Amino acid sequence: MSDAALLTADAVTGSPAGSVVNDFSIQVATVNGSGSQTANTVLMRSLFQMGIPVSGKNMFPSNIAGLPTWFTIRASKKGYLGRRREVDFLVAMNAETAQEDVMKLAPGSVAVYDEPLNLKSLREDVHFYPVPFDKIVAATCHEAKLRKLVKNMIYDGVVAYLLDIDMEEIHKALIRQFGKRKAKAADLNWGAAQAGFDYAKSTFEKKHPFRVERMDATAGKIIVDGNAACALGALFAGVTVVSWYPITPSSSLVESLIGYLKRFRHDAETGKATYAVVQAEDELASIGMALAAGWAGARSMTATAGPGISLMAEFIGLSYYAELPTVVFDVARVGPSTGMPTRTQQGDVLKNALLSHGDTKHPMLFPGSPKECFDMSCEAFNLSEMFQTTIFVVTDLDLGMNTWMTDAFEYPGKPIARGKVLSAEDLDRLGGFGRYTDVDGDGIPYRTLPGTANKNAAYFTRGSGHNAKAQYSEREDDYINNMDRLLKKFNTMRSHVPAPVVDVHPGAKVGIIAIGTSDFAVSESRDQLREEQNLETSYLRLRAYPFNEQLDEFIKGHDRVYVVDQNRDAQLLGLMRLDLDPAQTAKLRSIRYYGGLPLDARTVTEEIMKQENA
Amino acid sequence: MSDAALLTADAVTGSPAGSVVNDFSIQVATVNGSGSQTANTVLMRSLFQMGIPVSGKNMFPSNIAGLPTWFTIRASKKGYLGRRREVDFLVAMNAETAQEDVMKLAPGSVAVYDEPLNLKSLREDVHFYPVPFDKIVAATCHEAKLRKLVKNMIYDGVVAYLLDIDMEEIHKALIRQFGKRKAKAADLNWGAAQAGFDYAKSTFEKKHPFRVERMDATAGKIIVDGNAACALGALFAGVTVVSWYPITPSSSLVESLIGYLKRFRHDAETGKATYAVVQAEDELASIGMALAAGWAGARSMTATAGPGISLMAEFIGLSYYAELPTVVFDVARVGPSTGMPTRTQQGDVLKNALLSHGDTKHPMLFPGSPKECFDMSCEAFNLSEMFQTTIFVVTDLDLGMNTWMTDAFEYPGKPIARGKVLSAEDLDRLGGFGRYTDVDGDGIPYRTLPGTANKNAAYFTRGSGHNAKAQYSEREDDYINNMDRLLKKFNTMRSHVPAPVVDVHPGAKVGIIAIGTSDFAVSESRDQLREEQNLETSYLRLRAYPFNEQLDEFIKGHDRVYVVDQNRDAQLLGLMRLDLDPAQTAKLRSIRYYGGLPLDARTVTEEIMKQENA
Amino acid sequence: MSTATTPPPPKKVNRLGLEILNYRGGKTTLCAGCGHNAISERIVECAYELGLEPWSVAKFSGIGCSSKSPAYFLNQAHGFNSVHGRMPAVATGALLANHTLTALGVSGDGDTASIGLGQYMHMLRRNLPMVYIIENNGVYGLTKGQFSATADIGSTQKTGSVNSLPPFDCCSLAIKWGATYVARSFSGDKKQLMALIKGAISHKGLAVLDIISPCVTFNDHEGSTKSYNYVKDHEESIHEIDYVPYFEDIAVDIEDGAVQDVSLHDGSRLRIRKVERDYNPFERGHALNALDDAETKGELLTGLLYVHTGKPTFIEQLNMVDEPLGTLPESRVRPGKEVLTTIMEELRTGGAA
Amino acid sequence: MSTATTPPPPKKVNRLGLEILNYRGGKTTLCAGCGHNAISERIVECAYELGLEPWSVAKFSGIGCSSKSPAYFLNQAHGFNSVHGRMPAVATGALLANHTLTALGVSGDGDTASIGLGQYMHMLRRNLPMVYIIENNGVYGLTKGQFSATADIGSTQKTGSVNSLPPFDCCSLAIKWGATYVARSFSGDKKQLMALIKGAISHKGLAVLDIISPCVTFNDHEGSTKSYNYVKDHEESIHEIDYVPYFEDIAVDIEDGAVQDVSLHDGSRLRIRKVERDYNPFERGHALNALDDAETKGELLTGLLYVHTGKPTFIEQLNMVDEPLGTLPESRVRPGKEVLTTIMEELRTGGAA
Ligand SMILES: Cc1ncc(C[n+]2csc(CCOP(=O)(O)OP(=O)(O)O)c2C)c(N)n1
Ligand SMILES: Cc1ncc(C[n+]2csc(CCOP(=O)(O)OP(=O)(O)O)c2C)c(N)n1
Ligand code: SF4
Ligand code: SF4
Ligand SMILES: [Mg+2]
Ligand SMILES: [Mg+2]
């Protein structure tokens, strides 16, 4: 900690030596509905503007207002964006949780708090900075009813002082937040921030080690949540039909998509829409609409979470068997059942793959960052039309609803791929077609769209038994041939879905496999393992199901392979056990976390070491 | 074949030497809705009455009238009840399929046919017996409009003559079919049967090898379909609430249950019902009613098939997480989607086990005979209340809708088990309880029923996060503890569900594992393997999920273990891969049939030998 | 004379020069005498006489004997036999992708009023532009005759068991909750059915046709209120109705006041001739009360129960471009590079647009 | 004098000797000012004043802010917070198992009229004996304010977007399709709400209460037709209504004709006093038309819209034994050995019974 602190009288113990720069997490504990969001965003943005890698996580309850909420901003000069278990810098605004929040702090950490809460006495090994928020706000904001709103901005000023955050950056972030139209509100908030800064400056002596310094690690980066990134992917994929039913944590995906569609997808002259969005009556309807839209030629999608997935089971079985394209975004939350709607989990991985009765297999994409949310969402529409089936884009609440620093998105490099669709002209040439005939030997049949002006265009779509010409059939051979072709089609997908990202460390005996948000924890954990345990590891991040042979080779190439699952039943590992040779899966070990919080590196490291030392 | 035949002029070739007694299958090809059912049942019953093991299979289309239907009766002195690929004795009544049916016959087999069909010319190596059905019926039945109904009975007489079936047994079976009340109809039919017999006697010279002889292999046996057997199991389990939605092939399970309930479950004095049956508006409603009835103390059930299972996914996830008891009968048909509603498959095994989003695991029972349908259905209600969750009783169309010879059912030996339910008195003693507390260390909590007159009885049931006291919780530790307890409860089940039936052949290197109707084919196949290939095999028939350690040991004890699946994706094998040590599953090999017909022994034998010789 | 020389008789064709066989479907697998088969035949004849381009039609259904029937008409139109009770969602989705399709749906009473009631109601609310035919036999035919939610109180099953729950009247629901063309008819009433189906096809908006279509196998017995005999005895047609297609230019001289014309979206007209009763199909409240009265009287009113032309459809409300969304070129659905640049800048700076 | 000697004030108790706290629930987690909280308080007061045995009640709900509220009243009653839109099935199942329970359900407008409409309609048809409360705010509160299917045409979201679809009126549906006690009220109208809830509990049959319950966070703004202000301005109570419990023996002397008594199953009575308008809650058609008129006038009618005592309930139709099925002893639910013997003989011989 800083010399200043060392010289002070009070007995702060256990704090790290020297000052800690650009490597800590700030937790703001408030009550939901109390409007702290702006203050938190501004704080996070100001760090980002100073070139420091940041990520922000909101841990909120499944109700609308009045319960405890924690917003955590992590600054990491190494660029770690995952959750950090330890809180270094607490801003305690919520009387209900203040004591517990303080007791949870590591020795040497910081607690800024609302003076009346009177927390100082709780611990001796924490740096306390009491702030009389109400007094300050009363002084700066004269309209009483606005005080509640600006009050939070005060702690931005206080924190800025205590961490050496440039107030100019706070101001800039604030102006941008409110935009031109809300200049008055911006001024009001800026006043509050300044008041906080001045109060801190005139009152506190910094005794803690944490501070920020300008870096240059955010160039070419943006800050966005995964749901908005998926929405943008859909926008640039040229999505035309969106049917949905609201459910946390997927609602904001569609709601931001609607915002973008309104801005960018209306015909210049006529003002008419090149899309349709329908809020359906439930998920049975939303998936039915999406699939039929795909059937009729639209690039269609829906977004949901666990309970919606269960309700979609019957229709998605139809999509597999009748070969109907659509994209289903599953922003996973904690199951089973209603579970914990505002907590995160990878709890649907195995379930999506096998969804619906009978023999079915469904492809999934696993974005590992907002950048990949954009790219893969865009690609998902190509895949759904190429393979004429439901493509799941599987993310989770952590990726979908939290705000991340990520690389700026690149404009799609290749044109839209619409798959094997026969036009009226094709049909004239061919004189007809067999809807479920494997012409090309890849298991993918040709289709026509309703409305195609050709007497040979029509075929009959059904979920009951059919032959290669789409005629009703109960024949043993027709059924088997069709099911075998569907399997072939699925295997064809292996080389078309996004390949895994593989980092093989020469000579490493230990491998790690993960998907989605586990990547943030695993990447950091690999450094911990190297630096703390000098254990070198290889890493394969799966980006899609079905798997390809790289997964096989990776497992073959290592003695022990840890599969990271954010669920109780090791669903990702299970999927490998189903699909891979037991000789390989025998090497797999399971790392599971299922408490509903974003996975952190320390948990992964500890789990791996426990099993390594066992 | 018989001497008589050998002496005849025509060139019947390839028929087996000597006469074939009590070992053949008779196939009657008609049109559905043409009322051949009585004639077929009477024929089958007459063989049964002669002490000969029989089974009957109806292969019918998924419509109501006018399409081809085949009813196959197998007589087997060795007691094989499974499907036999070869047809030995054809009764061709359907012009539409007659030619194809005849061409499919093995050399030396028999074809009785409606004279106008004129099939004789088709083949030289089949024994043809043309019968002018219309002439005969016209002569015997004077009411023209009744002729269509009795016409079929004529072939019973013809077949009786050709196979040496005792006409007295035909008569007896017929009388019983119609019962006292329909004496007139019985006489009419009896007349037709006799006319058929007389015509054959006076016209045909028997040239085929097939005939029957009295045996004593049906003592203590009954003939019943699996659905009726399940219904009886529920009846004697004391089922009180049945909610359902019709779907083939499960409808007849509930419909026969309704019949029995009406007869045997009304209060003697008041005439009031000790049960409630509700035809719900769909499967979302039927499962919701069943689960809530279980919650409120009823022994509840529903029955469905694949599409219904998919629709029940959300509620069954709730039943897992909130711990609600009910019994779900899944009479499986061919999936995915609507699939082939009148064909059989084991296509939901893996799907049921994992049904619904999030981490869920569901127990299943796999009856392998109507006798077991009765016993396990009865037990399923005990298990559902003991473990407070959904118990799947998984059968299939073959077991459920076909008619089987089986051991007579025995009255349940043990009293009904209602599980851990606390009464008002218990609560007075305990002064309260924690709904989700693991008091006994077996993972099974105690519950109370609504209406329990005690101020400490109430608790709040929800599908959202809860702690051991059933209070709402989003805490990491509460969630993990609860999910871990649910896992413990699932493991406790292993020793309570029906154990596998194991037949280890000393020194056998090859083992076979199967469930449900695969048993009929596997048992016969093991004899074929022994007799034709002198390959001795061991056999483990699973009767429930979760598995117990006997499965482990069985696999350990053999070099190669064949897992028989009546589905494309080896779902049973997959379930083992998920749950067992890969070191064991590495030994598993897959035998799959998924054409929709009942599995036959020959297919199993050929598949095993192909892999043995590979 | 030798037949060789006589020319073949001219083929009968419609205004598009298509023969009726261009409108036929596959061979039915339904029971002989099933009302559903008659309805399929009417659909074929209507499409032929109207001269629809077969490929401009899309057929939809749920699950049931009735829902199988789209396979038995219009083989040259795409068909979608979906899942039980969910035809409304499927038709909606297809129309979103291509609103130029003529959507023709066939469902059953179980498919619509039992499992499908929720979707049916939400479709009504949206006034989805399609023809929605309910082949209503009061039972689940395909699962062998259980009661559906349109079975009348007191009607008996073949097994003898009696229905004790009141029926849903799909017409009453349709009129009240948003359909704009609502008719009831009988599979056996060829003339009325033809006019009503043609009118439904010419109508812009949701046209619901509840057609009593007896199940000869499971619900045609004494005690059934959906049997041929019962319907013949209780049918009361509220008016005589004829369809005048726009392309047959007949002078509109309505001689007597008893005749009224309804002009439809495509210029065709329904000519309604008053019989005994005074029935006003243009007035919602009137129609609903008439249905109520009839129910208490045990009468089965048939005819065009309610019509409301010009009400905006769900598709119109969405303000889509004129071309089908499903086949818009990339240039119209993928925004340009500059758009992405703008958005990236917003996300980099956090600045609102 | 010293306070030590003064005796504690006597606790306030109801006829069962229970204090109000025996009827309270857990602390609400809903927004301060949410209409749902007011309704929970009314339920607590009604149960207390009626002297219900808390454990004789079973609470049901679906999913939503409204559906959370059963956790906030009657802690001594079992509660079942089920899945979204399926409360009717759950309540039905529980009543089949134990028809002696007083079933009290709380749902939302999204839970009932959007995803749950199908089950809601089928429950109406069954006249399931329960109290079904819809806390109607026109939006999905818990998912942050999207329109539900009861949102009025033209009403705006906080985001400004306008609803273009007509609303489902849950009362109109209930009256038409089988509920036997149908009322509409406002979470802010304490007196009316108390009478209607008590009456609903005393009623035998399905009692539907559609209670406008503003969402202060997402639907209390200008342009909303479910805001406190809008409701206050447009509410029209059709009559004054009081509840007279059977255990308070008040002479029934109806002095003026403007007062009418509805006697309920448990002997309690609802006393209805006419205000301006003539409203007849006993006549289905009248009630339905009144609701239609009000809708066109933009009025929000509150009060007991329809009541029909004595109609058989779903439970009565099932002719069950008097005791709850769920707790019948083995001796009454498992047939004896002789029954099995009979059946086995039938299956051995193939003989019909
Ligand atoms: C989800 C689901 N549940 C049940 C079934 C079984 N099923 C097939 S058709 C049908 C009812 C059909 O009745 P209706 O719609 O009236 O058609 P009908 O056969 O009478 O013409 C049922 C219950 C199914 N196919 N899918
Ligand atoms: C199957 C399913 N779909 C969606 C959701 C998300 N969800 C929770 S509550 C709700 C709507 C609640 O609206 P309403 O019934 O009006 O209750 P309110 O919150 O307005 O009181 C939705 C869509 C869910 N929980 N389950
Ligand atoms: S069963 Fe009934 S509805 Fe089905 S085809 Fe036969 S007659 Fe028609
Ligand atoms: S969001 Fe609306 S409905 Fe939900 S608790 Fe808050 S005010 Fe009530
Ligand atoms: Mg029907
Ligand atoms: Mg609401």
Side-chain angles (χ1 to χ4, degrees), chain C residues 114 122 125 166 176 292 317, chain D residues 114 122 125 164 166 176 292:
Chain C
S114 295
H122 284 279
R125 184 173 175 241
K176 170 76 179 161
D292 261 12
Q317 288 189 341
Chain D
S114 296
H122 285 278
R125 182 173 177 242
S164 58
K176 170 76 179 162
D292 263 9

Side-chain angles (χ1 to χ4, degrees), chain A residues 60-62 100 284 306-307 310-311 313-314 317-318 320-321 334-340 342-343 345 347-348 350-351 354-361 463-465 472-476 479-480 483-484 486-487 567-569 571 574 577-582 585-586 593-595 597, chain B residues 60-62 100 284 306-307 310-311 313-314 317-318 320-321 334-340 342-343 345 347-348 350-351 354-361 463-465 472-476 479-480 483-484 486-487 567-569 571 574 577-582 585-586 593-595 597:
Chain A
F60 58 103
S62 177
E100 198 180 337
L284 283 87
S310 285
L311 286 176
E314 187 190 19
L318 174 70
Y320 175 80
Y321 192 54
V334 172
S337 195
T338 302
M340 298 194 288
T342 60
R343 295 289 184 271
Q345 193 172 69
D348 302 338
L350 182 58
K351 307 312 185 82
L354 301 172
L355 194 65
S356 204
H357 61 281
D359 290 312
T360 60
K361 291 174 182 285
S464 45
Y472 184 82
S473 171
E474 293 175 353
R475 290 179 59 99
E476 185 183 27
Y479 176 81
I480 293 174
M483 289 299 284
D484 289 348
L486 283 167
L487 206 51
N567 57 65
R568 183 196 66 180
D569 292 342
Q571 293 192 27
R577 282 185 161 199
L578 283 177
D579 284 17
L580 305 182
D581 174 355
T585 55
Y593 169 74
Y594 48 100
L597 304 177
Chain B
F60 59 104
S62 178
E100 196 179 341
L284 283 85
S310 285
L311 286 177
E314 187 190 17
L318 175 69
Y320 175 81
Y321 193 55
V334 171
S337 196
T338 302
M340 297 194 289
T342 61
R343 296 289 183 271
Q345 193 172 69
D348 302 337
L350 182 57
K351 307 312 184 85
L354 300 173
L355 194 65
S356 202
H357 61 281
D359 290 312
T360 61
K361 290 173 180 288
S464 45
Y472 184 83
S473 170
E474 294 175 353
R475 290 178 60 101
E476 184 182 28
Y479 177 81
I480 292 175
M483 289 299 284
D484 289 348
L486 283 167
L487 206 52
N567 56 66
R568 183 195 67 179
D569 293 342
Q571 294 192 26
R577 282 186 160 198
L578 283 178
D579 284 17
L580 305 182
D581 174 356
T585 56
Y593 169 75
Y594 48 100
L597 303 175

Side-chain angles (χ1 to χ4, degrees), chain C residues 81-99:
Chain C
N81 176 198
S82 64
V83 292
H84 195 27
R86 319 301 176 196
M87 177 172 91
V90 170
T92 305
L95 284 170
L96 293 173
N98 184 348
H99 60 79

